[in-house]
Amino acid sequence: MEIALQDALSGHSRLKPLNGIRVEVAGQPASSGCGTTGGEGKASCGSSDGQNDMPPEIWEKVKNHPCYSEEAHHHYARMHVAVAPACNIQCNYCNRKYDCSNESRPGVVSQKLTPEQAVKKVIAVASEIPQMTVLGIAGPGDALASPQKTFETFRMLQEQAPDIKLCLSTNGLALPDYVDEICKYNIDHVTITINMIDAAVGEKIYPWIFYNHKRYYGREAAQILTDRQMLGLEMLTKRGVLTKINSVLIPGINDEHLYEVNRAVKSRGAFLHNIMPLISEAEHGTVFGLTGQRGPSAQELKDVQDACMGGANLMRHCRQCRADAVGLLGEDRSDEFTLDQIEHMDVVYDLEKRRAYQEKVEAERQAQHDAKQAALAAQSGTDDGMKVLVAVATTGGGKVNEHFGHATEFQIFELTPSSATFVGHRRVDLYCQGGFGEDEQLPSIVNAINDCHAVLVAKIGACPRDELKAVGIEPVDAYAHDFIEKAALTWFADYRARVANGEIAHRERGDAAIRQGAFMAA
């Protein structure tokens, strides 16, 4: 089967490798940022670290936060409420929509809410989804461009649902003006979108900003924005607020610049850096989409992320959620909690019930951790340097528990003889529709996992099994309902043994196409 991946990746050269670049931010110490360290000097406040890798007060903030902990995102849910429609900057990759149910990307919602409606919705969701631990305000505009609505929502939630963690996302332009308010309402997590620290780069991303009752354009606008972002980040760090930095990777504009961004935010105390692919489909109506600016391939994204290792700790499990998303990362249950449906729900906010349920979640999480450690301990033989990617179909809980045909995304793990590391995810078109497989969907699915040696699933039909084998991707359903890392490492040990005895030949895989922000399947 001739895959359209080559068409998707043709017409441009690969991004230049960033390994070996070293950038020092003027006036900033080279090793500041998160001050804790783990074994062998590694920075220990990354999203995949555990209880023993960071101070207790930090662990309490991140242990059940699905965006700040890669491990937690398999088990805990979040939700966003759309109370902040206004925005004070224009980004070339953004087009806000307030009545849209068929797109999955930031800046899009089905319905704007008042603070009162938002709080009612949060209470209803938390009652039905007891593992929902985090409430964020991420738009559909900027949380701090509608400060009254944002902080009134937080005020009421702090009173009515004190166990839920509060977060907000901002472009940072107004951030220095609201640090005191952020701390007043115990908002311990703030995400800042920072795509550049050089105004010459920024003017290619931001046409204008609106600041102090005046519109600024071009390089002047970008300089004001980056100055305010850096100031706000420093202020939050001093107040003990955890910050996550979101950066959109835009090939040819800020791809090689993001290393400098990573070092700059680390030096100012950022907890995590989330480097995301540009969403640039023309149908979304963004400037970049309409002008043909492409997004990165899977390998290009990974190259930039890998080059930033050693700087600010990286988040790789972001789903670039809608501004009204509900559920685990990678799923959206918002259509179960419309305002009309909530009116007919019998809502009882039982704090003890929520705590009891989360204790069960923690037991499952510990079981996943133990299974991974046991699988790592069982790896035998010398480290031959082999490294592969595998795709995993999962509905959550850290297990291989999704049918191939029902998957709308695959989680990607990088395997070595001594590690199993989550490195990303790939959205795909739904293969099974109406109870039958849609063969025309297979090429796009293969494109999305073309860099993987295997795909681990709970079950798979004969047709997709044969097609995957034909393009060199091994379909594996022998580990259904096992924990992901245990299943992946067990498969990898068998794969290496087959290579060693000459049964199969190990070959490097090609690149893959990222399908971010795809239209939702009907």
Side-chain angles (χ1 to χ4, degrees), residues 11 46 52 67 69 77 103 144 150 187 192 278 284 339 437 446 469 477 487 489 496 502 504 511:
N52 297 325
C67 301
S69 167
E103 295 180 29
L144 298 181
T150 292
I187 301 166
I192 314 170
L278 171 69
H284 296 154
L339 293 180
V446 174
K469 286 182 178 179
D477 57 5
L489 287 166
R496 292 173 64 219
I504 59 174
D511 204 346

Side-chain angles (χ1 to χ4, degrees), residues 327-369:
L328 295 170
L329 297 190
E331 74 172 2
D332 187 4
R333 297 176 58 182
S334 57
D335 59 353
E336 300 175 32
F337 299 96
T338 65
L339 293 180
D340 288 341
Q341 289 169 312
I342 291 172
E343 288 297 332
H344 296 92
M345 292 173 61
D346 183 20
V347 176
V348 178
Y349 192 79
D350 188 332
L351 186 57
E352 290 306 314
K353 180 180 177 181
R354 282 175 50 78
R355 287 172 176 165
Y357 189 92
Q358 290 174 27
E359 288 177 1
K360 295 179 181 178
V361 172
E362 280 300 310
E364 184 80 355
R365 177 179 180 173
Q366 186 61 47
Q368 179 189 4
H369 176 80

Side-chain angles (χ1 to χ4, degrees), residues 91-377:
C91 308
N92 282 333
Y93 53 77
C94 182
N95 180 26
R96 286 171 286 147
K97 295 182 180 180
Y98 304 137
D99 184 18
C100 180
S101 60
N102 67 339
E103 295 180 29
S104 181
R105 61 181 176 88
V108 170
V109 298
S110 296
Q111 186 178 24
K112 293 181 287 185
L113 304 177
T114 66
E116 292 75 17
Q117 290 171 329
V119 171
K120 189 172 185 178
K121 182 175 180 178
V122 173
I123 299 301
V125 171
S127 300
E128 292 292 316
I129 308 177
Q131 69 271 37
M132 194 281 285
T133 55
V134 174
L135 180 281
I137 296 178
D142 187 84
L144 298 181
S146 302
Q148 292 80 13
K149 295 177 180 178
T150 292
F151 290 114
E152 178 62 11
T153 303
F154 285 139
R155 182 192 67 77
M156 290 189 287
L157 277 172
Q158 191 179 47
E159 295 174 353
Q160 299 183 41
D163 63 316
I164 294 179
K165 289 180 167 63
L166 304 179
C167 302
L168 67 80
S169 295
T170 176
N171 57 52
L173 181 61
L175 178 57
D177 301 330
Y178 293 104
V179 170
D180 286 342
E181 286 289 293
I182 289 170
C183 295
K184 176 181 177 180
Y185 293 109
N186 296 318
I187 301 166
D188 283 334
H189 307 80
V190 173
T191 294
I192 314 170
T193 299
I194 300 178
N195 296 311
M196 55 85 204
I197 56 171
D198 182 344
V201 176
E203 67 177 340
K204 301 174 185 177
I205 304 172
Y206 306 103
W208 56 261
I209 68 169
F210 190 77
Y211 175 62
N212 276 351
H213 310 289
K214 180 180 177 181
R215 195 179 297 268
Y216 295 85
Y217 298 88
R219 190 166 299 193
E220 182 182 19
Q223 188 62 58
I224 294 171
L225 178 61
T226 188
D227 289 345
R228 297 283 290 175
Q229 290 172 336
M230 295 298 106
L231 175 60
L233 173 56
E234 292 169 357
M235 293 172 69
L236 289 174
T237 298
K238 290 179 180 178
R239 300 290 289 272
V241 177
L242 293 187
T243 52
K244 175 170 66 72
I245 307 304
N246 283 353
S247 296
V248 179
L249 194 165
I250 311 166
I253 293 180
N254 70 347
D255 40 15
E256 297 185 19
H257 180 59
L258 288 181
Y259 185 99
E260 300 177 51
V261 173
N262 180 271
R263 268 44 184 179
V265 300
K266 172 186 170 66
S267 72
R268 290 165 174 83
F271 183 77
L272 285 177
H273 190 192
N274 172 32
I275 300 175
M276 311 174 293
L278 171 69
I279 296 173
S280 58
E281 284 84 353
E283 59 264 28
H284 296 154
T286 67
V287 171
F288 280 152
L290 296 174
T291 57
Q293 170 64 53
R294 71 175 183 88
S297 72
Q299 188 61 51
E300 288 172 333
L301 176 63
K302 189 172 185 298
D303 284 347
V304 174
Q305 292 172 331
D306 289 350
C308 290
M309 294 289 288
N313 294 282
L314 297 175
M315 173 190 183
R316 301 191 192 225
H317 60 280
C318 176
R319 299 307 199 274
Q320 293 174 276
C321 304
R322 290 166 56 96
D324 58 2
V326 175
L328 295 170
L329 297 190
E331 74 172 2
D332 187 4
R333 297 176 58 182
S334 57
D335 59 353
E336 300 175 32
F337 299 96
T338 65
L339 293 180
D340 288 341
Q341 289 169 312
I342 291 172
E343 288 297 332
H344 296 92
M345 292 173 61
D346 183 20
V347 176
V348 178
Y349 192 79
D350 188 332
L351 186 57
E352 290 306 314
K353 180 180 177 181
R354 282 175 50 78
R355 287 172 176 165
Y357 189 92
Q358 290 174 27
E359 288 177 1
K360 295 179 181 178
V361 172
E362 280 300 310
E364 184 80 355
R365 177 179 180 173
Q366 186 61 47
Q368 179 189 4
H369 176 80
D370 294 344
K372 177 181 179 180
Q373 296 306 311
L376 286 171

Side-chain angles (χ1 to χ4, degrees), residues 3-15 294-301 446-448 450-451 509-514:
I3 302 303
L5 175 65
Q6 297 305 319
D7 295 335
L9 300 178
S10 64
H12 62 83
S13 58
R14 283 275 303 279
L15 301 181
R294 71 175 183 88
S297 72
Q299 188 61 51
E300 288 172 333
L301 176 63
V446 174
N447 283 351
N450 188 61
D451 52 351
R509 298 289 303 165
D511 204 346
I514 294 176

